[in-house]
Amino acid sequence: MTDFALRWLDLLEVGKFEWDKQLFPEFNAELRQDFAAEIDLFLRSILLEDRSVQELLTADYTFLNEKLARHYGITSVRGAQFRRVHLEDENRHGLLGKGAVLLHTSYGNRTSPVVRGAWVLDKLRGTPPAPPPPNVETDLSTPPGAKPKTMRAMLEEHRKNPTCNMCHGVIEPHGLPLERFTVTGQWRDVDWQANEPSIRRWQCQTARKSKVRQTYAAPC
């Protein structure tokens, strides 16, 4: 029933995602499997209940067990069985609040506004971005001995190159609002690696005012 939707969203192999165990010791294979179960149950509910496709982006409910609920900061769920749960926090609404999506659109050791933005453009807007030109530097890792920066700051530097900005200027506005979520889908206000806010206030305001915000409720 959900195989087509999972293929469309490129989420069939969430259960194979490998993460940095030192950076994310609270995450484990059981939670990874819970992510897969949540997205499957959520998609199944949209399809079987013949709901509007818009609810893929706006639905104010999901399916949680106690372990996954606590991972999301929700304390009202008890027990190992998955059940339908109303979401008070609108940042968790729809696909973009789901751990499976946030995990899949990250690297094992850091988030990626580029990967997340490209996923939104491709899967939700139907306008996949062009691949990077050959021989373009794509490694945004902090050089040894340098002060860590937020991913936002590193991408700002990257976009100073006009060649890079041609694509990144299109992709990143769709991915930067999702910087509020970690690799493993937990909410954050501070990027602990750089000890700075994970996203600037003006970026949240811009996202809220844009058609993109109206389309898929990017969290800020």
Side-chain angles (χ1 to χ4, degrees), residues 11-19 32-33 36 103:
L11 297 175
L12 274 175
E13 297 192 348
V14 168
K16 297 181 180 179
F17 184 90
E18 291 297 328
W19 68 100
R32 184 179 61 185
Q33 190 57 41
L103 191 71

Side-chain angles (χ1 to χ4, degrees), residues 111-167:
T111 56
S112 174
V114 178
V115 176
R116 287 177 172 175
W119 187 90
V120 169
L121 284 169
D122 183 13
K123 305 303 180 183
L124 302 185
R125 304 202 66 149
T127 54
N135 303 318
V136 169
E137 179 58 58
T138 59
D139 184 7
L140 298 179
S141 303
T142 303
K147 179 183 177 181
K149 297 180 180 179
T150 63
M151 186 54 55
R152 163 184 50 78
M154 287 189 280
L155 288 169
E156 285 175 354
E157 289 291 322
H158 197 63
R159 289 198 304 276
K160 289 180 180 179
N161 183 329
T163 302
C164 298
N165 190 54
M166 289 177 62
C167 291

Side-chain angles (χ1 to χ4, degrees), residues 23-24 106-113 138 140-141 151 183 193:
L23 292 177
F24 304 101
S106 298
Y107 294 114
N109 62 345
R110 65 171 176 84
T111 56
S112 174
T138 59
L140 298 179
S141 303
M151 186 54 55
V183 170
Q193 289 175 303

Side-chain angles (χ1 to χ4, degrees), residues 160-182:
K160 289 180 180 179
N161 183 329
T163 302
C164 298
N165 190 54
M166 289 177 62
C167 291
H168 282 260
V170 174
I171 297 170
E172 287 163 25
H174 296 79
L176 278 168
L178 297 175
E179 275 294 276
R180 287 292 197 181
F181 289 108
T182 67

